[in-house]
Amino acid sequence: MSILSPRFGRYSLLFHFMIWFLILSQILRFSFFVWQYDEVSWNIFDVLKTLFTGLFFDIGTISFISLSGIIYYTLMPNRWIGSLVDKIFVSFFTALTTFILVFTFFAELTFWDEFKTRFNFIAVDYLIYTHEVVANIEQSYPLPILVGGVLLLTAVFLFIFYKKNAFADTFIYEASVKTRLFILSGFAAIALFFCFFISNYQAEWSSNRYNSEISKSGIYSFFAAFRNNQMKYVDFYTSIDNNKAFGIIKNKLADSNSKFDSKGYSIHRTITDSTTSLENKNVVFILVESLSGSFLKEFGNQENITPFMDSLAQKSVFFNDLYATGTRTVRGMEAVTLCIPPTPGQSIVKRPENQNLYTVCSVFKSRNYDCNFFYGGDGYFDNMNAYFGGNGFTIYDRGRGSVLSDAIKTIRNNINDNEVTFENAWGICDEDIFNKMLKVADAQYKDKKPFFNFVMTTSNHRPYTYPEGKIDIPSGTSRQGAVKYTDFALKQLFKKAGKKPWFKNTIFVIIADHCASSAGKDEIDVANYHIPAFIVNLPQQYNQKISKQCSQIDLWPTLFSIFNWNYESDFFGKNVLDPKFEERALMGTYRKLVLMKKEKVMILSDQKKQAFYTWNKQDNSLKSIPMNQSFLEETISWYQTADYLFTNKLLQ
């Protein structure tokens, strides 16, 4: 039978399946258009380019998906076509693949709901940490209804294939060797073409980020992220001579209190302070999950969901123009432990060979502090235990059977069931993790050990559940409720800690890991990197609101300066209180790298591209301006040197 037959002969089911995939992909794409109707570009040419670019990537995706089936059809002898084995094999894998793809389309909708993007490296990470992800889905969505709906739709689509005689034709018609080889070679050529010549970033044609994201194919984006989650700077980004890059950064880091120890490719220096240092203060550091600056009344929010933190802003060292380095917890952890700009690709927290680095823990250890990391879930998630344990911290987490490598020389303590009052997919509630820290702090005080306790919260995360009756917003109903519960838990922490004998000599540092959302129509949504930070319980004369534009990486150098400490430093952060501090913020995704200085924003992209903008803070928009070479070279230098130091093991 001719390959041009309306029924496609032996390949009828496969071709019906492919056409179904392409149609459903465009329906999903149009759904995203409607979802972001007030953000996307509705210019007719932009809409058409979005749809046709998407169709192009969908063709590549379905070519990969269908290739194994085409190989089967090529190798199956004509005499076995329509046999019981053939019918079972083809029917089963068609049904299974259809089910998986329908489920994937649903997953894309939920992923878009949370991140406003197609599948990316976050989706890749979620595939690894199945316990947290599956539990989160179970607690966030009506899973039986969802799976039932997927099964029902799969049955409907298979029935349509049946009514179109796709199954019957597949099991009746034979295919010549010429036809088989023609189809196999054609699809193999398409797959190879996409594999070697088409990159996912080529879908990012529009200045409107939403149009670019909608242009992508979710499955294609997933595997592109899987392949590129580690990116060597010089291979993907614009670079300059290393001597020049390090010269620029040393000049930016130099001040009257810093003495660089060596020439060449290093930023290692000794920070000295002639003033008498404060006694060794205990430090409780709280990294709060997804705490956007926009949640605080201090920054204009009128929902009254952070009353305690708003009160702290009036009696602390409060940073009101500070920006996160990234959009994920591990990026925030990287920033507040290494004081380093976000390197391209995956966070250092998740990379191999990330032990024995020079971190803030190294500074505390040099002063004989007892350093601990507290996490209410299983610290296997996001490689946290390996990173913190491998860099000097003792671990307290809610172990679920994961085992640390023998190469990680630390002590891991389990948070027991009798210490837990509430737990969801991500871990125990914030009150419980704070109570555990208080218990450990009591023991440290009793043993006369100054302590640095690092606490990572989890409650402000979907499914937004927390103990009932604590606040006036029911558990599991909204992000606002989770934020208000975290604020309540912080208030309870200070209430309990205030009664401790060690409280007077303890500083509390509170900062967000990242904002609750980072999505926007521009390349970088600057406003969605703005986070609050507090240094609480210093002597009253230190309290102030710092209005200088700065970064997460500047927090510890600022506190160490307040302490008047002398210490060794490999940090890129600086003391914000220095009168000569040059305002700037360093931000990024896993592919975009940003330097912002006041309203000027430089963005470096893979493919060795750059873009220069002015940022309008009032409407959070970016406007393209002519390139500034010195600004570009400074931006390159921050990221090129950071990547060089880590990849060449010079941060140890």
Side-chain angles (χ1 to χ4, degrees), residues 187-229:
F187 276 88
I190 293 171
L192 289 171
F193 172 72
F194 273 87
C195 188
F196 290 103
F197 298 104
I198 302 299
S199 296
N200 198 49
Y201 69 77
Q202 290 171 285
E204 299 172 4
W205 57 272
S206 175
S207 59
N208 185 303
R209 192 191 67 84
Y210 285 112
N211 285 73
S212 291
E213 286 297 321
I214 295 170
S215 295
K216 296 175 182 178
S217 166
I219 297 171
Y220 196 93
S221 296
F222 176 88
F223 285 100
F226 187 82
R227 292 175 60 188
N228 295 317
N229 65 355

Side-chain angles (χ1 to χ4, degrees), residues 69-87:
I70 291 171
I71 292 172
Y72 170 79
Y73 287 140
T74 302
L75 298 177
M76 188 69 168
N78 279 334
R79 66 179 180 273
W80 291 353
I81 290 176
S83 66
L84 181 62
V85 172
D86 185 39
K87 288 180 178 179

Side-chain angles (χ1 to χ4, degrees), residues 17-33 50-51 53-62 65 101-102 104-105 108-109 118 157 213-220:
F17 169 80
M18 294 171 65
I19 292 167
W20 162 80
F21 175 83
L22 295 175
I23 292 172
L24 208 61
S25 295
Q26 290 291 44
I27 292 173
L28 181 67
R29 193 164 281 114
F30 190 74
S31 299
F32 290 146
F33 260 112
T50 300
L51 295 176
T53 302
L55 177 62
F56 175 75
F57 279 90
D58 290 340
I59 289 171
T61 302
I62 197 61
I65 293 171
L101 290 178
V102 173
T104 301
F105 286 134
E108 283 214 65
L109 290 170
R118 292 295 195 130
F157 295 136
E213 286 297 321
I214 295 170
S215 295
K216 296 175 182 178
S217 166
I219 297 171
Y220 196 93

